[in-house]
Amino acid sequence: MTMVHGVFELFKIGVGPSSSHTMGPMLAASRFVGSLGDLAGVRAVRAELFGSLALTGKGHATDSAVMLGLEGCTPATIDPDDAAARLVRVRADGMLRLGDVQPVAFDEAADLRFLQKERLPFHSNGMRFSAFGADGEALATSVFYSVGGGAIVAEDEVAGNAPPESLGDVPFPFHSGADLLARGRASGLSIAAMMRANELAAADETTLGDGLAAIRAAMSACIDRGIGQGGILPGGLNVRRRAPGIHAQLVARAERAHSDPLGVIDWINLWALAVNEENAAGGRVVTAPTNGAAGIVPAVLRYYERCVPGATQAGEEDFLLTAAAIGSLFKANASISGAEVGCQGEVGVACSMAAAGLTAALGGTNMQIENAAEIGMEHNLGLTCDPVGGLVQVPCIERNAVGAIKAIEAARLALLGDGEHRVSLDEVIETMRRTGADMSHKYKETALGGLAVNVVAC
């Protein structure tokens, strides 16, 4: 079956610092509690984390996410301030309100286990939840995998390997870049128009429009909040937020900016840094396609909105729909999980998506869009995921700023050509997949190699 992942699967509104290590586990824990039905007989719960979740879970707030999920919270709806208060209560009382209704004793050290030397078979981001009755008897056990971008797959869904939220029957199914181009030629439609038709197979125009507007608003709000928040990021690395200081400098030298032909780069850097500093602090972000790469698409989209003469809302929607189509190809044919293929699956994919989206918004042809997406990934191949201290801070925050600039460069290169090029997007996606398979596990979100071991974390 050809899977087409929808725009609201690639772009999810949630909280930081990680889509795979925070949002996914929170959603899995909440889903487990929901599967239990009547909670009256439950007296205890246990969560076990495996692989990458165990190795870098502390730095990615996986422990907090699991407890919040067991309390019934979900990434899309949780208030970060309420989350902090809940965690203080749970840790102080040694008690969870399961599903926000059933009190159960919870000893975090004993009931939330980080099994760093064990890995479940399907994916490095594995977790197992268990519920017990009054006599200690097991009432239920469920295994979930967090497969990237905040998506989860239950053990019984692994055979299908398709998250439930992927689109079903659509008028323009596609499984490759070549297929996408062929369908565009046959229909005479742009990639954005085909994605819009696919989305409208399950939603009406108002729902789609409102959803896209919500994504744009959340991305913009994240940039603005990140610019306004100062201080030190949590986690112990003592990384200071730079966005407020950079913004002050740019505003102060606004008049001189007209004489600097590269001044816009400073603004793009600011917008990307603001998002990822907000993500690192556990703020509200949009997966694009992951939290670790959440700054690239918003920064490039704001570049379109603020710096391109004649930018329109229709152009913004085309940007997001086109970016989602490219993200769908990576998700279906390779991965968007840093724990599976390294940061090329996060920042690399986000760069490719943003390059394609900007090219579409600027009026590029389908072939130029495919070319931009290919360029965006080709120059991120082999990018490792080696977060210092297991935190989504170093090198993640700066990497988003560089990725946003790369995306704009990829779009401009593609628009200078006619769409003909030697290396196809499909070849680059397959290369990324194979490179991820060959990459040592030390460089796949385990904090066991690279900068994570060569930079003193504290």
Side-chain angles (χ1 to χ4, degrees):
M1 181 182 71
T2 298
M3 289 184 294
V4 177
H5 299 279
V7 66
F8 301 115
E9 182 182 357
L10 275 301
F11 299 116
K12 294 188 182 77
I13 299 174
V15 292
S18 172
S19 48
S20 61
H21 286 55
T22 312
M23 289 174 58
M26 187 188 299
L27 186 61
S30 176
R31 183 169 160 187
F32 171 68
V33 172
S35 72
L36 296 176
D38 185 3
L39 300 176
V42 180
R43 292 293 180 269
V45 291
R46 183 171 67 221
E48 297 167 297
L49 307 175
F50 300 86
S52 177
L53 288 182
L55 288 163
T56 61
K58 289 287 186 180
H60 287 71
T62 308
D63 46 356
S64 299
V66 166
M67 289 186 285
L68 291 168
L70 291 172
E71 286 230 330
C73 300
T74 62
T77 59
I78 191 169
D79 179 340
D81 293 331
D82 175 60
R86 282 178 180 269
L87 291 170
V88 168
R89 172 180 51 76
V90 169
R91 286 169 169 147
D93 298 346
M95 188 79 65
L96 276 171
R97 286 205 302 257
L98 203 63
D100 211 23
V101 294
Q102 174 67 19
V104 297
F106 190 79
D107 180 349
E108 185 175 351
D111 297 329
L112 181 50
R113 303 178 181 180
F114 290 80
L115 305 177
Q116 297 184 346
K117 296 183 179 180
E118 299 181 39
R119 186 187 191 280
L120 296 181
F122 175 63
H123 194 284
S124 182
N125 290 337
M127 63 202 107
R128 181 165 57 219
F129 298 97
S130 302
F132 304 91
D135 296 326
E137 74 277 16
L139 300 177
T141 298
S142 297
V143 171
F144 294 91
Y145 296 94
S146 181
V147 295
I152 60 171
V153 177
E155 189 172 44
D156 59 1
E157 297 167 346
V158 167
N161 195 17
E165 63 265 32
S166 56
L167 297 177
D169 293 332
V170 294
F172 297 101
F174 55 89
H175 67 275
S176 67
D179 193 23
L180 191 57
L181 290 175
R183 291 187 180 277
R185 286 192 296 269
S187 65
L189 296 176
S190 68
I191 292 172
M194 289 187 288
M195 277 298 288
R196 180 179 291 276
N198 287 345
E199 294 288 342
L200 292 176
D204 58 33
E205 287 277 6
T206 299
T207 301
L208 177 58
D210 289 348
L212 292 173
I215 290 171
R216 299 198 312 276
M219 287 181 173
S220 184
C222 187
I223 292 175
D224 294 339
R225 179 173 170 78
I227 289 173
Q229 299 295 310
I232 304 295
L233 293 172
L237 287 184
N238 294 317
V239 173
R240 182 175 296 277
R241 288 185 185 240
R242 285 182 286 173
I246 293 173
H247 182 256
Q249 290 182 58
L250 295 180
V251 171
R253 68 183 198 214
E255 291 184 4
R256 286 181 292 156
H258 297 293
S259 63
D260 181 0
L262 298 180
V264 67
I265 291 177
D266 295 331
W267 286 97
I268 298 163
N269 285 331
L270 166 66
W271 298 329
L273 291 173
V275 171
N276 283 86
E277 288 174 354
E278 190 65 12
N279 176 65
R284 186 163 298 284
V285 299
V286 180
T287 64
T290 68
N291 283 28
I296 295 174
V297 168
V300 178
L301 183 58
R302 181 163 284 197
Y303 163 78
Y304 169 73
E305 295 168 348
R306 300 280 179 89
C307 304
V308 174
T312 64
Q313 178 180 315
E316 295 169 18
E317 292 186 352
D318 284 351
F319 184 117
L320 292 174
L321 290 165
T322 303
I326 299 304
S328 175
L329 291 175
F330 281 100
K331 189 171 177 67
N333 297 318
S335 176
I336 60 169
S337 169
E340 196 167 21
V341 295
C343 197
Q344 58 175 357
E346 297 198 36
V347 162
V349 173
C351 180
S352 182
M353 291 169 62
L358 179 60
T359 304
L362 294 176
T365 66
N366 287 351
M367 290 178 64
Q368 288 172 321
I369 291 166
E370 187 262 359
N371 188 16
E374 177 270 322
I375 295 170
M377 173 52 75
E378 184 178 346
H379 303 291
N380 281 292
L381 288 173
L383 194 60
T384 59
C385 184
D386 49 355
V388 176
L391 299 165
V392 192
Q393 297 179 21
V394 179
C396 319
I397 295 171
E398 284 185 355
R399 192 168 280 177
N400 275 258
V402 174
I405 300 302
K406 276 188 177 182
I408 296 170
E409 166 69 353
R412 293 180 70 89
L413 276 174
L415 287 166
L416 287 171
D418 61 4
E420 294 287 347
H421 55 109
R422 178 62 184 82
V423 180
S424 73
L425 175 59
D426 293 329
E427 289 169 331
V428 166
I429 292 175
E430 176 59 13
T431 301
M432 188 269 270
R433 186 191 68 80
R434 293 187 185 186
T435 301
D438 292 340
M439 189 181 289
S440 168
H441 75 284
K442 293 188 298 183
Y443 305 111
K444 293 193 280 191
E445 212 166 359
T446 59
L448 296 175
L451 285 173
V453 299
N454 287 302
V455 175
V456 178
C458 60

